Amino acid sequence: MSGGRDRVRVARARLGGEATRDPAAELRQTSSRTVQLGRVQPQAPSHRTIYCNDREANTPVGFKGNSVSTTKYNILTFLPKGLFEQFRRVANLYFLMISILSTTPISPVHPITNVVPLSLVLLVSLIKEAFEDWKRFQNDKAINSTPVDVLQGEKWESIPWKKLQVGDLVRIKQDGFFPADLLFLASTNPDGVCYIETANLDGETNLKIRKALEKTWDYVLPGKASEFRGEVQCEQPNNSLYTFTGNLILEKQTLPLSPNQLLLRGCSLRNTEYIVGAVIFAGHETKVMMNSMNVPSKRSTLERKLDKLILALFAFLFIMCLIGAIGSGVFINRKYYYLGLSGDVENQFNPDNRFVVTILTMFTLITLYSTIIPISLYVSIEMIKFIQSTQFINKDLLMYHSESNTPALARTSNLNEELGQVEYIFSDKTGTLTRNLMEFFKCSIGGEIYGTGITEIERGGAQRNGLKVDEVKRSATAVHEKGFNFDDARIMRGAWRNERDPEACKEFFRCLAICHTVLPEGDESPEKITYQAASPDEAALVTAAKKFGFFFYRRTPTTVMVRESHVEKMGKIQDVAYEILNVLEFNSTRKRQSVVCRYPNGRLILYCKGADTVIYERLAGGNQDVRRLTREHLEQFGSAGLRTLCLAYRELSNELYESWNQKFIQAKSSLREREKKLDEVAEMIEKDLILIGCTAIEDKLQEGVPACIETLSKAGIKIWVLTGDKMETAINIAYACNLINNGMKQFIISSETDKIREVEDRGDPVEIAHTIRESVNQELKRCLEEAHHYLYSISGPKLALIIDGKCLMYALDPSLRVDLLNLSLNCSSVVCCRVSPLQKAQVTSLVKKGARKITLSIGDGANDVSMIQAAHVGVGISGLEGMQAVMASDFAIAQFRFLTDLLLVHGRWSYLRLCKVILYFFYKNLTFTLTQFWFTFQTGFSGQRFYDDWFQSLYNVIFTALPVIILGLFDKDVSASLSKKYPQLYKEGIRNMFFKWRVVAVWAFFSFYQSLVFYYFTTAASRKGQNSSGKIFGLWDVSTMAFTCVVVTVNLRLLMACNSITRWHYISIAGSILAWFLFIFIYSGVMTPYDRQENIFFVIYVLMSTFFFYLTLFLVPIFALFGDFLYQGIQRWFFPYDYQVVQEMHKDDAEDNSRMELLEIGNHLTPDEARSYAISQLPRETSKHTGFAFDSPGYESFFASQQGVVAPQKAWDVARRASMRSRAPQRPPRT
């Protein structure tokens, strides 16, 4: 152990490359520390030191083990933590307080009344939490027990992952997963390379190459590996997946480490027999575990409005209790001798202290009226949302993409109803609106344009302008394969040698073949080889080089092999090895990639490709014609909707390269700000470039995008496109998508003006910033004035705003933000070009917070994650750019066009259903509580209960629980096909038509009315009533009668709220009423001592022996529901909602054609898919529309139309149909 400690001490002295320290520096450093009570506070070290293959030396540091746990609870914390989570909900906390109050002497109800429903709700919630956590625990257990080979002595021993420690040497075999973050030491492949798949990390299935340091290549076999005693100094654990800085000290030599030597936990080994690595970060300190942050918690707008409704109920509860408490203080008097208040009485009924009576009665009434807050509401809503997500959204075949075998996925069930209220959609372009299947289409070399095809965008633009586009005949040399769709005989098959500038062509093709990070796979023949690339663009460019005769077929860590054709002379083929000296990688800041390579003849050259703005800034002087022509070609390509890249090169001298390479190695070895230093060093050599030309790649629109955008626009949804592409490309894509058309007034705010260009040429950053800011300010004000002018005109055009990233940066400034928001909110479409990921999120937040509108962001790449998380609802496209967007999203779909079904069908239905569920809960609890409130006026405000304790306990959790869940799952106002046929129906959700305070007030009014009917009808009717033995009815007879009427009526009222009725509705409602009768038969049939149950003993049997019971049970629900019946009839006839109009228009539709389409799809399903499909189509029932007073049996709901069942016409339907303008075609009269 002492040796290990000495090594720790030595390493700490040596960290950062200093063997000795300056005493003055030591003193300065000490003085800057925080000193308290004579002790130096420990500082968190900025780096860690790891001793490879030496557990003893690592023990004092106390690195974390490799066992991981993703569970929320353990045996000890489950109950306290689980209960804490539940009591964070206001309603649950309120019921806990009520339950505590009900145990005190002032409570009129037994504690069981409140404890039972609270316990049931908590039990259901805790069982759900426990089940989910148990699944996580089982998953953790399986992962932690996975075996891995670890070096112990001079042989490999298999141990479980959880026993791994930092510093251990491990062996990972082909297709195995890395158990921790490993330093890659050696591989069975030559030159110390291995191939890894990062699908678990970012969803990308293309292989990545990793290369070990040359010094460690030999440590493959256990005998040699046991000699390895390296020391790693590296950064502390962090969540950055793509960066790593560290040094390996081996045999007194410091070697810089980069992400190229790091193998991350969760990735898997491919195409390599096995590798040897050292554990750097373990367990929860691995990068993937540090990234496993929860997606930001989002609550739906409806849920926040529900909180306001609950607060309103609290306020109403307080008012009821205050009225009762004051009434009690006023009423209490000794003159009511029959109450026995003359002697010593308890404080609550002591007439001598009316204030205490008032206060105590207040608490009494709070417990008595506690049922006004629906305790089971949250559990019911959670259950409904969960089933909606898993059974309806996830299993909808119309959102299933068969080509990629990808169904829709609801990653959270919290936001289902939010999908029904979206007003703004923010969309990425590439991979979201387009397919992200890149094809090399055109190019410009040395100022000459090549390629003869016409893009979809050009064709769409011509059709808009009324021009006819003739199909271009393809030449004999035309080639179309994955990644390449090019036709121009001038440069195919070696014909480029005859062009005006063959040298430029040669450099162009070599740049395509060499400047990339693509990995070739398979046979080394042009037909069979496949390319694994970081992006589809990269693969398309290398495929183009192959087709032009520069076939890249092999890569080693230091060389790129290219099979060149027709270079020396026509028909000659030669294999050339280019030595790769440095790779300056692409990132979103640099927007370019460079490779320094050495030709076989010793020529040193730097090839660079990147965005036109970046390359043009770094060009050498001269050659103005090529620069001007290429810029024109770039604009032409952009107008055709093509993605462009500029290609350039620079000749390097040996002296220049050597001096630069020293700085590059120094920057690469730096432990601090390595990325920044590497960028600075790259700037030194990426200058004085010579422009070769540019490439143009076509990314076709996804299927159905224009139709989808048109439908969503009709639904009142405004769509914004946020893209990194050039303005011309973005505008043309917007035209092709029907986002912009010629009838729109377009406001364009661009930094590409003559005035701004002049200032940029002078190069003063302060002047540039001031000029752009002023320009943006003036443009915003001008556009805003114009917009107001158009808006106030009677038939003004729709407005569209197009703004680029530079201008947007200044427009988002707090002083200009308001103008930008006002202008953009008045526009139907907005296109933001050249925007960064951060700007995407800022624009989304601007509308979300500034306009308080419900927003949805949709994207498919890592650059869309911040935008997806910033919006109310985030949708990820599971496409070709990995799964980062999906992992950060709330919902995942495979194609943009599926948004139509997700929003107009599932979103709209979820919103309608949940509005009804919440309002129905509010209605049934208010009705029940008000009957108790009216009784208080006849009991001298004493707090006497009207209902038995168990009635009150089970009212919410059994007698009225199931029907409302069925309503939340199966209610449909119009079918899915009609929802899409009439997208304008969606506007009712945007305007929140079904959860306004006006709607709540209507339900509240009928609650008051019905509670008065229940209470006064039953009490008045029973005053002279008597049972078979001649006794008059007592309190418990009347209350049982009233409760029976309440249960029957509120369940029947639910039927009136339904738009479509299935057998599940009938079963649940009949079952709930039956459950009440079964309960009361059993409960009143037995006598239990020591409680208050004797009040109800035999009550129901006495009641049911009288005619009064049956007459009341028949008449009271009719009188109670008559008001609703009348209101719904008048509302539907004279003030119909949009969906009710659509119902009337299609009430005679015999069959919904979408059913046939679904069946055709269903015929080709696997058994599992068929089962999923069958579940998603439940309930398959004939239904009748009865959601209004005057029944319209001719209308068939979605379920009935699926079955093709037509209900017969009724006599009373004729009168109303005669008043409708559009009539069904009449049959010819019989003769």
Side-chain angles (χ1 to χ4, degrees):
M1 274 303 283
S2 61
R5 286 190 181 124
D6 290 342
R7 287 186 63 185
V8 172
R9 231 179 352 263
V10 171
R12 282 184 182 147
R14 205 166 52 206
L15 185 60
E18 294 178 328
T20 58
R21 292 196 183 192
D22 177 15
E26 286 270 23
L27 186 63
R28 280 196 302 275
Q29 191 176 1
T30 307
S31 65
S32 68
R33 288 176 177 160
T34 309
V35 180
Q36 189 176 6
L37 299 177
R39 284 187 65 192
V40 177
Q41 297 299 306
Q43 301 289 305
S46 58
H47 301 94
R48 60 160 52 182
T49 303
I50 300 158
Y51 304 103
C52 300
N53 205 16
D54 189 347
R55 282 194 173 188
E56 282 192 355
N58 289 322
T59 305
V61 186
F63 294 121
K64 284 195 176 178
N66 199 43
S67 178
V68 296
S69 172
T70 58
T71 57
K72 284 170 69 176
Y73 313 103
N74 58 38
I75 294 173
L76 294 175
T77 63
F78 175 69
L79 218 53
K81 198 173 175 183
L83 288 172
F84 172 74
E85 288 290 327
Q86 294 305 315
F87 288 124
R88 282 170 67 184
R89 282 185 168 160
V90 179
N92 286 350
L93 193 62
Y94 162 76
F95 266 94
L96 178 66
M97 289 163 51
I98 295 297
S99 298
I100 293 167
L101 264 180
S102 64
T103 60
T104 62
I106 61 168
S107 171
V109 295
H110 197 276
I112 205 80
T113 307
N114 295 299
V115 172
V116 166
L118 179 63
S119 302
L120 282 172
V121 167
L122 292 179
L123 184 66
V124 169
S125 300
L126 288 175
I127 287 172
K128 174 176 163 278
E129 288 283 318
F131 176 69
E132 288 177 354
D133 218 44
W134 176 255
K135 287 197 292 186
R136 284 191 283 264
F137 171 72
Q138 293 291 92
N139 192 38
D140 292 343
K141 190 177 174 184
I143 290 171
N144 288 330
S145 304
T146 308
V148 62
D149 292 342
V150 177
L151 188 68
Q152 295 188 347
E154 289 192 11
K155 61 179 181 177
W156 299 111
E157 297 280 352
S158 182
I159 65 168
W161 279 19
K162 63 184 175 186
K163 292 190 178 176
L164 264 186
Q165 292 183 17
V166 172
D168 285 352
L169 294 194
V170 297
R171 177 179 69 174
I172 310 297
K173 295 176 183 174
Q174 181 162 333
D175 297 329
F177 288 91
F178 304 127
D181 290 352
L182 308 177
L183 171 63
F184 178 28
L185 299 176
S187 160
T188 52
N189 287 345
D191 301 328
V193 297
C194 73
Y195 301 95
I196 66 167
E197 187 181 276
T198 59
N200 282 356
L201 220 56
D202 55 19
E204 294 180 12
T205 53
N206 50 292
L207 300 184
K208 314 271 193 311
I209 194 168
R210 292 289 181 266
K211 182 190 171 190
L213 296 172
E214 200 169 336
K215 283 273 184 185
T216 64
W217 286 359
D218 299 333
Y219 298 106
V220 178
L221 299 172
K224 182 69 175 173
S226 62
E227 299 170 12
F228 181 72
R229 287 290 186 277
E231 181 182 317
V232 176
Q233 296 172 357
C234 66
E235 64 192 15
Q236 289 290 357
N238 58 67
N239 64 355
S240 175
L241 292 172
Y242 306 107
T243 61
F244 176 72
T245 51
N247 289 328
L248 172 64
I249 300 169
L250 187 63
E251 298 167 1
K252 298 185 179 178
Q253 190 176 355
T254 301
L255 307 166
L257 300 173
S258 73
N260 242 346
Q261 287 84 47
L262 193 67
L263 307 174
L264 299 182
R265 178 186 174 117
C267 299
S268 56
L269 186 65
R270 294 282 186 266
N271 299 3
T272 309
E273 188 183 339
Y274 70 84
I275 62 104
V276 176
V279 178
I280 300 291
F281 304 125
H284 286 279
E285 291 185 336
T286 55
K287 288 181 181 283
V288 69
M289 290 304 291
M290 295 191 84
N291 265 281
S292 60
M293 301 287 288
N294 291 328
V295 176
S297 180
K298 296 179 181 179
R299 291 184 74 214
S300 72
T301 311
L302 195 69
E303 204 171 318
R304 286 194 289 272
K305 286 174 181 168
L306 171 60
D307 289 345
K308 291 179 183 174
L309 181 59
I310 296 289
L311 288 173
L313 284 175
F314 275 128
F316 186 66
L317 171 66
F318 179 77
I319 291 166
M320 286 199 304
C321 294
L322 191 63
I323 291 168
I326 293 169
S328 178
V330 171
F331 175 83
I332 202 81
N333 200 310
R334 293 192 196 279
K335 70 180 180 180
Y336 301 114
Y337 60 90
Y338 47 81
L339 295 178
L341 302 176
S342 53
D344 287 338
V345 291
E346 55 186 291
N347 289 334
Q348 189 175 351
F349 304 111
N350 190 347
D352 298 332
N353 197 339
R354 292 174 185 270
F355 179 73
V356 173
V357 170
T358 302
I359 297 299
L360 292 177
T361 304
M362 184 85 175
F363 284 108
T364 299
L365 295 177
I366 285 174
T367 58
L368 190 63
Y369 302 151
S370 61
T371 49
I372 196 171
I373 308 295
I375 187 168
S376 56
L377 173 62
Y378 287 105
V379 174
S380 300
I381 286 177
E382 270 186 16
M383 196 181 301
I384 289 165
K385 286 183 177 182
F386 178 73
I387 296 172
Q388 281 175 352
S389 300
T390 55
Q391 298 301 321
F392 298 161
I393 294 177
N394 292 1
K395 295 183 178 178
D396 186 348
L397 276 184
L398 293 176
M399 293 197 292
Y400 170 73
H401 191 236
S402 54
E403 290 170 33
S404 61
N405 190 26
T406 312
L409 175 66
R411 290 172 47 81
T412 176
S413 59
N414 292 343
L415 303 169
N416 296 355
E417 69 278 17
E418 199 86 324
L419 292 170
Q421 296 183 277
V422 171
E423 191 169 354
Y424 285 87
I425 291 177
F426 299 93
S427 174
D428 175 39
K429 183 187 78 70
T430 307
T432 306
L433 298 176
T434 59
R435 296 182 188 179
N436 206 14
L437 292 172
M438 309 301 178
E439 291 182 337
F440 189 95
F441 198 70
K442 289 185 181 182
C443 61
S444 168
I445 306 173
E448 189 70 34
I449 200 163
Y450 297 97
T452 58
I454 295 176
T455 65
E456 286 181 349
I457 309 295
E458 287 175 304
R459 195 172 283 115
Q463 286 170 355
R464 273 195 313 278
N465 296 323
L467 303 173
K468 188 178 178 183
V469 181
D470 294 324
E471 288 297 323
V472 178
K473 290 184 180 178
R474 295 177 71 82
S475 68
T477 57
V479 178
H480 189 185
E481 70 168 62
K482 186 183 177 185
F484 191 77
N485 183 15
F486 183 84
D487 181 17
D488 198 325
R490 291 178 294 166
I491 55 171
M492 296 296 288
R493 300 181 183 176
W496 56 267
R497 288 174 58 84
N498 304 321
E499 283 299 287
R500 181 169 51 84
D501 192 351
E503 283 304 311
C505 291
K506 198 192 303 178
E507 292 297 350
F508 183 88
F509 301 144
R510 278 184 178 151
C511 184
L512 292 182
I514 295 168
C515 185
H516 56 77
T517 54
V518 174
L519 298 174
E521 265 193 336
D523 291 349
E524 293 178 357
S525 67
E527 296 78 24
K528 294 184 179 177
I529 199 162
T530 55
Y531 292 124
Q532 293 283 351
S535 72
D537 299 73
E538 283 262 77
L541 294 174
V542 177
T543 303
K546 176 180 78 172
K547 291 296 174 187
F548 291 132
F550 288 71
F551 171 37
F552 159 64
Y553 64 91
R554 190 186 306 158
R555 176 189 285 281
T556 72
T558 53
T559 57
V560 160
M561 300 293 292
V562 180
R563 187 166 296 153
E564 298 183 350
S565 310
H566 320 298
V567 175
E568 305 278 330
K569 61 180 181 179
M570 282 298 288
K572 185 177 179 183
I573 298 174
Q574 56 188 11
D575 288 353
V576 185
Y578 294 96
E579 185 183 357
I580 304 298
L581 301 173
N582 307 87
V583 177
L584 306 175
E585 292 183 1
F586 176 91
N587 62 42
S588 57
T589 311
R590 283 167 42 77
K591 293 184 180 175
R592 64 191 181 277
Q593 177 187 39
S594 298
V595 166
V596 180
C597 69
R598 182 180 277 125
Y599 279 41
N601 62 8
R603 178 192 180 200
L604 271 174
I605 195 162
L606 174 135
Y607 284 115
C608 182
K609 68 180 182 191
D612 52 350
T613 50
V614 175
I615 299 293
Y616 266 72
E617 287 170 0
R618 289 162 176 76
L619 293 179
N623 215 356
Q624 292 298 322
D625 284 347
V626 173
R627 290 173 69 165
R628 180 179 54 77
L629 286 167
T630 306
R631 188 181 280 280
E632 287 174 12
H633 296 160
L634 283 165
E635 288 177 10
Q636 191 178 327
F637 294 153
S639 300
L642 298 169
R643 296 161 63 87
T644 56
L645 276 178
C646 282
L647 274 56
Y649 74 100
R650 181 187 180 188
E651 299 271 1
L652 303 173
S653 64
N654 279 319
E655 298 76 28
L656 174 68
Y657 173 72
E658 288 302 329
S659 66
W660 174 82
N661 197 37
Q662 288 296 320
K663 294 171 187 167
F664 182 75
I665 292 168
Q666 231 173 354
K668 216 171 177 184
S669 305
S670 172
L671 278 174
R672 292 186 181 176
E673 297 183 332
R674 182 181 292 180
E675 297 298 319
K676 184 183 172 188
K677 288 176 182 174
L678 281 171
D679 285 355
E680 288 168 0
V681 172
E683 288 283 350
M684 296 177 190
I685 202 165
E686 290 174 328
K687 61 183 182 182
D688 300 329
L689 301 174
I690 298 165
L691 184 65
I692 312 170
C694 67
T695 62
I697 289 175
E698 183 180 21
D699 184 10
K700 292 187 176 179
L701 283 177
Q702 280 186 19
E703 182 190 339
V705 166
C708 174
I709 286 178
E710 192 177 350
T711 303
L712 294 176
S713 298
K714 287 178 183 173
I717 298 171
K718 298 178 181 70
I719 299 168
W720 295 23
V721 173
L722 312 177
T723 176
D725 279 344
K726 291 195 297 297
M727 185 170 279
E728 296 80 11
T729 311
I731 289 173
N732 281 288
I733 289 284
Y735 264 112
C737 293
N738 288 341
L739 201 61
I740 296 176
N741 56 52
N742 289 335
M744 284 184 170
K745 169 62 182 171
Q746 295 176 22
F747 299 121
I748 298 177
I749 302 176
S750 170
S751 58
E752 296 292 315
T753 63
D754 295 336
K755 184 182 176 184
I756 293 172
R757 276 193 187 130
E758 278 176 29
V759 176
E760 284 179 336
D761 289 341
R762 291 201 286 273
D764 181 359
V766 177
E767 188 186 3
I768 292 168
H770 177 73
T771 306
I772 297 177
R773 182 188 165 80
E774 281 304 306
S775 173
V776 169
N777 190 11
Q778 290 168 11
E779 283 294 300
L780 279 175
K781 287 193 171 6
R782 181 186 65 78
C783 294
L784 202 53
E785 282 177 22
E786 272 192 65
H788 285 147
H789 170 71
Y790 284 116
L791 287 170
Y792 291 129
S793 62
I794 297 169
S795 58
K798 285 188 173 182
L799 309 177
L801 171 66
I802 297 116
I803 184 168
D804 71 8
K806 271 187 192 172
C807 294
L808 189 63
M809 184 169 72
Y810 294 97
L812 286 169
D813 187 82
S815 58
L816 302 180
R817 196 181 293 164
V818 177
D819 286 345
L820 175 67
L821 185 63
N822 286 338
L823 175 61
S824 53
L825 290 182
N826 288 322
C827 293
S828 302
S829 305
V830 177
V831 179
C832 302
C833 333
R834 294 288 198 195
V835 290
S836 66
L838 177 62
Q839 284 177 318
K840 289 183 178 184
Q842 286 173 330
V843 170
T844 308
S845 297
L846 178 70
V847 177
K848 179 182 175 183
K849 294 175 182 172
R852 298 187 179 277
K853 304 290 186 184
I854 296 179
T855 57
L856 179 147
S857 288
I858 179 167
D860 72 322
N863 59 335
D864 302 316
V865 167
S866 52
M867 172 177 80
I868 284 170
Q869 292 185 340
H872 289 95
V873 182
V875 177
I877 298 274
S878 40
L880 302 177
E881 283 195 32
M883 298 291 282
Q884 298 101 315
V886 169
M887 290 189 286
S889 68
D890 307 303
F891 298 89
I893 53 178
Q895 297 274 289
F896 184 87
R897 69 176 187 273
F898 295 157
L899 266 186
T900 309
D901 282 275
L902 189 64
L903 298 184
L904 303 192
V905 180
H906 293 285
R908 198 175 146 277
W909 280 348
S910 295
Y911 166 70
L912 280 166
R913 289 164 179 168
L914 283 166
C915 286
K916 280 189 181 177
V917 166
I918 292 166
L919 290 168
Y920 179 75
F921 260 103
F922 165 74
Y923 149 78
K924 71 185 179 73
N925 282 60
L926 185 60
T927 305
F928 178 72
T929 308
L930 283 172
T931 53
Q932 176 71 64
F933 180 62
W934 307 133
F935 180 63
T936 305
F937 285 89
Q938 294 201 347
T939 60
F941 306 98
S942 62
Q944 166 64 35
R945 62 207 168 100
F946 185 49
Y947 298 117
D948 181 76
D949 297 337
W950 280 101
F951 294 4
Q952 198 165 323
S953 300
L954 302 179
Y955 175 71
N956 268 317
V957 293
I958 291 180
F959 305 140
T960 59
L962 191 57
V964 73
I965 291 173
I966 298 298
L967 169 75
L969 291 177
F970 297 135
D971 191 53
K972 295 180 187 177
D973 55 348
V974 295
S975 68
S977 57
L978 289 178
S979 293
K980 289 184 282 187
K981 184 178 180 181
Y982 301 101
Q984 294 83 356
L985 292 174
Y986 189 83
K987 291 179 182 177
E988 291 179 326
I990 294 175
R991 297 197 297 266
N992 193 27
M993 295 291 288
F994 303 111
F995 201 62
K996 289 181 179 291
W997 286 111
R998 180 175 60 80
V999 180
V1000 174
V1002 170
W1003 282 83
F1005 172 78
F1006 286 112
S1007 278
F1008 270 86
Y1009 165 72
Q1010 289 183 16
S1011 63
L1012 287 167
V1013 170
F1014 293 141
Y1015 180 70
Y1016 286 106
F1017 271 49
T1018 49
T1019 51
S1022 61
R1023 275 179 193 156
K1024 293 182 181 179
Q1026 48 189 260
N1027 60 25
S1028 54
S1029 60
K1031 290 183 179 178
I1032 62 169
F1033 290 125
L1035 165 63
W1036 304 109
D1037 300 291
V1038 176
S1039 69
T1040 304
M1041 182 70 248
F1043 189 79
T1044 305
C1045 292
V1046 170
V1047 170
V1048 170
T1049 307
V1050 296
N1051 277 298
L1052 291 176
R1053 174 65 183 84
L1054 182 121
L1055 278 179
M1056 294 177 67
C1058 296
N1059 283 303
S1060 54
I1061 300 175
T1062 70
R1063 70 172 170 201
W1064 301 108
H1065 290 78
Y1066 293 129
I1067 290 169
S1068 61
I1069 288 168
S1072 297
I1073 296 170
L1074 191 62
W1076 154 246
F1077 280 106
L1078 283 174
F1079 167 77
I1080 193 63
F1081 284 153
I1082 296 167
Y1083 182 59
S1084 65
V1086 294
M1087 168 73 82
T1088 54
Y1090 311 117
D1091 68 3
R1092 301 188 281 189
Q1093 185 269 341
E1094 70 275 2
N1095 295 324
I1096 305 297
F1097 182 64
F1098 229 64
V1099 161
I1100 194 67
Y1101 300 103
V1102 171
L1103 278 173
M1104 292 184 75
S1105 66
T1106 65
F1107 177 70
F1108 158 79
F1109 174 81
Y1110 300 100
L1111 187 64
T1112 306
L1113 191 57
F1114 176 71
L1115 291 176
V1116 167
I1118 290 175
F1119 275 105
L1121 294 175
F1122 180 73
D1124 298 82
F1125 187 78
L1126 198 63
Y1127 170 78
Q1128 288 194 19
I1130 293 169
Q1131 178 270 317
R1132 185 178 182 89
W1133 210 329
F1134 297 108
F1135 312 101
Y1137 287 112
D1138 292 346
Y1139 77 84
Q1140 291 173 330
V1141 174
V1142 173
Q1143 285 175 348
E1144 289 297 328
M1145 290 164 64
H1146 292 271
K1147 65 184 177 181
D1148 295 317
D1149 287 1
E1151 194 170 350
D1152 191 340
N1153 293 328
S1154 62
R1155 176 67 171 171
M1156 299 305 294
E1157 292 165 21
L1158 286 172
L1159 287 176
E1160 285 173 21
I1161 298 169
N1163 290 337
H1164 307 290
L1165 300 179
T1166 64
D1168 282 346
E1169 288 170 339
R1171 184 177 59 80
S1172 301
Y1173 171 70
I1175 293 171
S1176 72
Q1177 293 304 305
L1178 284 175
R1180 301 178 295 280
E1181 297 303 320
T1182 304
S1183 62
K1184 196 176 290 182
H1185 178 73
T1186 55
F1188 48 92
F1190 303 105
D1191 188 17
S1192 173
Y1195 168 78
E1196 294 303 316
S1197 75
F1198 185 43
F1199 298 124
S1201 59
Q1202 281 181 329
Q1203 295 276 315
V1205 178
V1206 185
Q1209 294 296 318
K1210 299 287 176 65
W1212 59 78
D1213 191 46
V1214 177
R1216 186 179 50 166
R1217 286 190 59 213
S1219 68
M1220 301 297 292
R1221 273 186 161 181
S1222 59
R1223 300 182 185 181
Q1226 296 181 355
R1227 294 177 181 175
R1230 288 183 182 176
T1231 55

